[in-house]
Structures are given as C-alpha cells and as structure tokens.
Amino acid sequence: MAEITLESLTKVYPDGTQAVSDLHLDVAGGEFVVFVGPSGCGKTTALRMIAGLETITSGHVMIDGQVVNDLPPKDRDIAMVFQNYALYPHMNAAKNMGFALKMKGLPQNEIDIRVREAARILGLSDALHKKPRTLSGGQRQRVAMGRAIVRNPQAFLMDEPLSNLDAKLRVEMRAEIARIQRDLGVTTIYVTHDQTEAMTMGDRVAVMRNGLLQQVAAPKELYDRPRNLFVAEFIGSPAMNLVMARVERLDGDTWVSFGPHRLRLDPATLERHDGLPAYDGREVVLGIRPEDMEDASVAREAPADRVISVVCDIREDMGSEVYVHFNVQADAVLMREVVEALVVEDAEDEETRLAAERARGGGVVFVARLDRATEALERQPVDVAVDVTRLHFFDPETGVGIHGSPAGAT
Ligand code: ATP
C-alpha cells in the first residue's frame, strides 16, 4: 500500500491566507492517520493538496517516493470520501458504487464482482437494489464508502465523512470505518475536527492549528505527553484543567503549589519530567486531567500531601461517574487569545470573552471526574485526591510541555 510523504508542504491562497505552513509528515503504507484541529486550521487544504485538487504553493507531496505535485487527481490512484457524498438519486446503491468503474470502461462482470465484494465488506448486500432516498443515513454513508472501495485504490482520503450523521450513527460508523480500513489495509488520511473521532480511529493523530502541525503521535502518546498547551487542551473531554503554579523545593522534597493548594511530587514524577528542576522557584503551567482526581473519602489511599480541599460548586451525575466543578483560587493560564481579548473591550467570541473574564477575576474552574461512589454535594466541602504521577507541566512563556529535556527548560 502507498506510502505518503509530505515535505515542507505549504499553501498560500491568492488572497494571502496562509492555510498550511511547512507541513512534514510520513504516512506509512497501510497506516491510518487522522488530521484533527479546530475549524480553519488547514486540514482540508492539506488533504486537497494530497489529492491533487488544490495547487501546492511550495513543498512536495510524494506517493511511494515519487513527487506527484503535478500529477492530476485521476492519476494518483487515490479515492476520496467527502462530507457531502452526493449520491446519484436515480441510481440504485449498486450503480452508485460501480459508476466510476463504468466510466473507466471496466467490463460489467468485473464491476459486479467488485461491487458485491464491497457490499459484503460494508454489510450492504441486501440494499444494493435500493435508491438513495430509501436508504438510511448510515447506509448512504456506506454506499459513499463503497464507491471508494470498489476502485481498489492505493490510498483513501476522507474529509469529515461522518459529519452529516446523528451522534449514535457516528459512533457506529467510526468503528465500522476503522474496521474496514484495518481489513483492507489501505493507507488512509482522515480529516475531522472531532477529537474523539481522531483518538478512537487513528493509528496516529496529527494535531493542527493555524496551518501548523502541533504534534503527530499515537493517541495514547498524544494524551499522555502533549507537546504543548494547545494539544493538551484540545485532546480530552472534559478538557485538561490548567492553572498557573509554582515549583518549590522544601526539606528535600519538590512541591507544586497553586493558590492555597500544594502537592508533593513523587520521585517517579520528577524522573518523567526531568526538566522540572530548572523551574525551581519559578512559575509553570500545571495540568491535571479530570480523571486523575478522586474523592479522597472513597479513594484507596489519599495522603494529605496529595489532597486539595475545595468546595463543590456543581455536581453533574453522569450515571457511570460524577463530574464535580470547583473553583481554585489561583491565576488562570493566559493563552495568547485570552490576553488579546483582555484588551478588546467587546470580544466578539463569547467563549474567549468568558475566559478573559475568568482570568481577570482570578480563580479557575476545575472539573474532576469522580467515581460515582462520591458523596460530594453542591456548596459543600470536598477533599479531592490528585494522582501526582499523572500531572502535566508546561513552560508559561512558550506553552511547551516540560517532559524530558532539561535543556528545553532554560
Ligand atoms: P474546516 O474544519 O472548517 O473545514 P479546515 O481546518 O479544513 O477547516 P481549511 O478549509 O483547510 O481548514 O482552511 C484553512 C484556511 O484557509 C482558513 O483560514 C480558510 O478560511 C482558508 N481558505 C480555505 N479555502 C480558501 C480559498 N479558496 N481562498 C482563500 N482562503 C481559503
């Protein structure tokens, strides 16, 4: 299967918009890579350059080592599945799936074999005679996939193929697409703005922001070791709690304090973040994922130096778990967007404005994802035990994660 290499891929639209900047990526044969990022970050533009539907400003797209920059889309042996998979309404599912092959002049018996095989893989065998209007949303989506599969391409490029489906169907179809991709072993690049889709489907996930690749890694690596604040906030739901904190050495131990709270770091944590000693006595951004906290009263062990005492503001019963929101009287992390909003009287974006408000007033809202055994009640104190082995640290100036390299900390 095709290996796809992007070398310094860059797109500047005629109006000057820099949509993709200096993108480097190696996609191995048979690999499933997901491009994820907020709206406008350049995912679709990157995909369209790979497909040959968008001209390349500079850099290269290579398929199996060959530069294809000037190769027309039809000669790239790539099949695309789009968000708007407009099926031909007057053709049944089988004809829709086989149409491209017919246009290529394949004999009808060969087309029939390929369509039947794709239908089998997709669980569509009983619906081949149906016209699109009598198919369910999920079946229509499968027909669109079928159109790509019958072409037996070297690679699939998919652009938000599930965004027209309802939430339940999306969950079903994302498992289905991942399974089909594994079975067929076709190199796949998949674009989505949905981080859950990215994390559950991709062998590797490429996180983009403002046309720049932030990090590309396997889902677990992305989650456990986000390279910077943007990736840390973007991946995970509810999002990672972030707060300004201070690292201090006291009586031979290293502590991280934020507002009135203080946690003692254990040796293993310090070893994993061996850049941390360089921040002794300085500010860092501390990140705590919601699931790395538990109610100390029901926790197996909760030593006092790993517990923060807070007041539960909101309790959300999710059935399987409980989300507890509480306020931490410490400084919020002022990301660049928020700082800009602070100087703009009427920030247009409501979310940015609210973030700026919170930053102004001091105090940060934390969300903890607690076991349903918790008896935390709204407006009542609750002791929250923090798993200090899973803390995250970032440089407050650069937003870069403080992991291994002490050199990066200076
Ligand atoms: P979405 O998830 O909303 O589709 P995206 O991450 O796929 O977003 P792109 O569609 O690649 O982002 O757009 C990247 C940037 O390029 C955006 O700022 C967008 O406004 C801009 N852009 C896209 N197409 C054009 C065009 N034809 N001319 C000028 N600018 C464009």
Side-chain angles (χ1 to χ4, degrees), residues 13 15 17 19 38-45 160:
Y13 282 107
D15 67 356
T17 306
S39 182
C41 72
K43 315 175 290 282
T44 297
T45 302
E160 304 254 9

Side-chain angles (χ1 to χ4, degrees), residues 193-374:
H193 65 273
D194 178 340
Q195 57 97 18
T196 313
E197 230 168 83
M199 295 294 278
T200 52
M201 295 177 82
D203 293 323
R204 282 190 303 156
V205 178
V207 182
M208 292 181 69
R209 179 198 194 195
N210 293 341
L212 289 166
L213 183 63
Q214 304 290 302
Q215 185 172 7
V216 52
K220 187 169 170 8
E221 170 75 8
L222 213 56
Y223 196 77
D224 290 345
R225 291 168 68 88
R227 180 171 294 159
N228 60 32
L229 276 174
F230 178 77
V231 177
E233 266 219 307
F234 191 76
I235 301 291
S237 176
M240 184 188 285
N241 301 291
L242 294 169
V243 64
M244 296 305 295
R246 183 172 284 278
V247 177
E248 282 159 338
R249 281 196 59 79
L250 214 70
D251 303 332
D253 283 317
T254 301
W255 298 76
V256 61
S257 57
F258 50 107
H261 310 296
R262 208 165 64 147
L263 299 168
R264 187 166 62 85
L265 305 184
D266 72 350
T269 309
L270 286 168
E271 211 166 288
R272 273 197 304 115
H273 301 276
D274 63 0
L276 218 44
Y279 289 84
D280 190 12
R282 289 167 53 195
E283 279 201 314
V284 292
V285 175
L286 171 67
I288 308 178
R289 291 219 182 265
E291 64 275 28
D292 295 331
M293 291 183 266
E294 41 182 350
D295 182 334
S297 67
V298 297
R300 254 184 308 123
E301 55 170 328
D305 53 11
R306 295 181 188 176
V307 168
I308 58 176
S309 297
V310 298
V311 174
C312 166
D313 288 327
I314 299 172
R315 177 192 163 110
E316 287 181 299
D317 265 297
M318 310 301 287
S320 57
E321 57 202 359
V322 176
Y323 293 174
V324 164
H325 302 233
F326 55 88
N327 194 272
V328 168
Q329 278 306 311
D331 288 335
V333 178
L334 292 182
M335 306 258 283
R336 193 168 49 80
E337 290 80 349
V338 179
V339 175
E340 278 164 11
L342 281 172
V343 293
V344 176
E345 282 296 287
D346 298 308
E348 278 178 22
D349 173 353
E350 181 70 359
E351 211 166 290
T352 311
R353 197 186 58 72
L354 286 176
E357 284 292 324
R358 282 200 295 274
R360 265 203 204 100
V364 183
V365 176
F366 265 47
V367 180
R369 214 165 139 173
L370 305 181
D371 189 281
R372 64 183 166 185
T374 180

